[in-house]
Amino acid sequence: MPGIDQSEADFIAVIELHAQEHAAKESARIPAAFEGIQVNFCKTPDCVNFGVPEDDDGVKWSRDPAKTRRYAKVSAGKDYPHLRCNACKASFPLKSNEGIAQEVARLAGEAKADICCPDESCSNHGFPVGLGKPLYSSFGKTAIGSPRWKCMACSKTFSAPKTATHRQRQSHKNKLIFTLLVNQMAMRRICEVAEIGPKALYDKIDFIHRQCQAFAASREAMLPNLPIRRLYLGVDRQDYAVNWTQRDDRRNVVLSSATTVDNETGYCFGMHVNFDPSLDPTAVEQDAHDSLDYRLSPPFRKHAREWMESDYRASVARSAKLVPGGTVAC
Ligand SMILES: [Zn+2]
Ligand SMILES: [Zn+2]
């Protein structure tokens, strides 16, 4: 283009790309599949449409049921689109496949805290050394005595710290602090009982968290090889009201969590909280603004899984309406 330099041309190209993506999302009936995930289908187990997503070949209505669309798009409120199954008449909210894929990646990342082959392109990467042979073999020790392993897939050798507590001065208090934490003792009381300061307590909580993840990862990596014919899982969810996080913003934060256990043994697969500490709220808001996310209804957004500033404002407006004449402090 004449009259503009390269950086301006790049900027315009990015804007045009966003606009194209936005137009495609805006015209779609249901959110597009993302990395093989498509959850917008009928959930009634004995319905012919169970597990079958919409294909856009169908017409709105036809005498021939095979040509009729499987689902009708209905609304359950502003920005709350539903699909209604034309076979069983059950309706369900549309969900963002992209948001689900992002959450799957986040939760899968948590489960890979254990030591494994460091080469990301290796087939053993993600499988902990605790599995032993035939994936890894013990390969002596490093000069400072840390154990070393050899990966049997790519032949690389790697080591780990001798013990997880090698830099801790009060490692004998870990067990006591873990016990007090899981028995729900208040943080200040734990500091008094264990005779440590708040900084040491928070460091120990991070350490215990890492150890628990590594423990769960090493056990669950064995799951694919266990002779399980069919796994029956029980799922429950719970909300936690957490105190305000900043002195100038005293809103209580409610975190939701889902817990999944094996029905037969009671083994807990984890309690997953809807909190992602890796995100920067300002950067997310800016990206949502740049990619015109706000103009779409939530299931079609790039940032569908995040609680945005506009969601918060809408929620405050809804609560204010529920209390006659009431205002909401924030
Ligand atoms: Zn159905
Ligand atoms: Zn390897």
Side-chain angles (χ1 to χ4, degrees):
M1 258 182 260
I4 60 168
D5 63 23
Q6 188 56 39
S7 62
E8 278 177 279
D10 288 347
F11 181 70
I12 291 169
V14 169
I15 297 284
E16 280 175 354
L17 190 67
H18 280 322
Q20 279 170 15
E21 282 175 6
H22 180 81
K25 283 180 176 175
E26 207 166 34
S27 62
R29 286 188 78 232
I30 63 168
F34 192 85
E35 292 176 358
I37 295 177
Q38 176 57 273
V39 298
N40 297 297
F41 48 72
C42 180
K43 316 288 192 301
T44 313
D46 57 354
C47 175
V48 288
N49 288 340
F50 175 70
V52 187
E54 178 80 282
D55 50 32
D56 263 336
D57 301 342
V59 291
K60 210 169 182 180
W61 191 86
S62 157
R63 280 184 196 285
D64 179 359
K67 287 184 187 158
T68 309
R69 275 182 180 156
R70 295 178 196 279
Y71 306 99
K73 200 165 172 183
V74 292
S75 171
K78 188 176 180 291
D79 281 342
Y80 198 32
H82 277 52
L83 284 187
R84 191 179 58 225
C85 174
N86 283 333
C88 71
K89 305 297 177 202
S91 74
F92 50 91
L94 281 177
K95 298 272 182 193
S96 162
N97 301 308
E98 188 171 353
I100 290 170
Q102 288 166 354
E103 278 294 281
V104 169
R106 175 173 78 86
L107 298 174
E110 282 180 3
K112 283 184 185 162
D114 212 8
I115 304 155
C116 63
C117 176
D119 183 353
E120 286 184 17
S121 63
C122 173
S123 59
N124 283 353
H125 181 72
F127 291 94
V129 290
L131 292 173
K133 285 181 176 158
L135 302 186
Y136 302 99
S137 77
S138 187
F139 203 71
K141 290 194 168 140
T142 62
I144 59 159
S146 301
R148 190 160 44 191
W149 292 275
K150 182 177 183 182
C151 171
M152 303 309 275
C154 68
S155 301
K156 284 200 178 77
T157 61
F158 55 96
S159 61
K162 193 175 180 184
T163 62
T165 56
H166 71 299
R167 284 211 190 108
Q168 295 185 10
R169 274 177 291 147
Q170 302 194 70
S171 60
H172 58 285
K173 292 184 177 171
N174 292 342
K175 192 177 166 190
L176 170 69
I177 292 167
F178 194 6
T179 310
L180 298 178
L181 278 171
V182 295
N183 282 290
Q184 303 177 359
M185 186 182 270
M187 302 270 198
R188 281 171 204 263
R189 299 290 87 71
I190 295 179
C191 289
E192 280 172 24
V193 173
E195 296 178 339
I196 55 168
K199 163 88 172 68
L201 175 61
Y202 282 110
D203 286 348
K204 293 231 179 270
I205 291 173
D206 287 342
F207 163 74
I208 289 168
H209 180 228
R210 284 196 303 275
Q211 290 297 97
C212 289
Q213 284 186 319
F215 176 77
S218 69
R219 292 187 75 88
E220 287 169 25
M222 291 180 238
L223 272 175
N225 302 321
L226 291 182
I228 300 169
R229 203 176 69 82
R230 193 163 189 163
L231 203 57
Y232 290 92
L233 302 174
V235 182
D236 200 4
R237 55 169 282 181
Q238 203 165 16
D239 289 339
Y240 297 91
V242 183
N243 271 352
W244 40 271
T245 50
Q246 294 162 28
R247 209 166 271 277
D248 54 356
D249 180 2
R250 299 190 177 205
R251 283 173 279 167
N252 276 351
V253 178
V254 177
L255 295 179
S256 300
S257 74
T259 308
T260 312
V261 296
D262 173 29
N263 282 6
E264 207 170 307
T265 62
Y267 179 84
C268 179
F269 285 100
M271 193 183 80
H272 297 109
V273 186
N274 65 343
F275 172 67
D276 187 345
S278 71
L279 297 175
D280 170 7
T282 317
V284 171
E285 290 288 343
Q286 186 62 45
D287 190 58
H289 179 266
D290 293 349
S291 54
L292 308 173
D293 232 18
Y294 280 133
R295 296 197 202 165
L296 298 165
S297 68
F300 293 86
R301 288 179 191 165
K302 181 178 170 192
H303 294 284
R305 75 186 173 117
E306 287 121 16
W307 180 251
M308 312 292 286
E309 190 60 36
S310 64
D311 298 321
Y312 171 68
R313 281 200 302 270
S315 167
V316 170
R318 272 199 303 276
S319 320
K321 260 189 208 166
L322 289 177
V323 185
T327 49
V328 175
C330 59

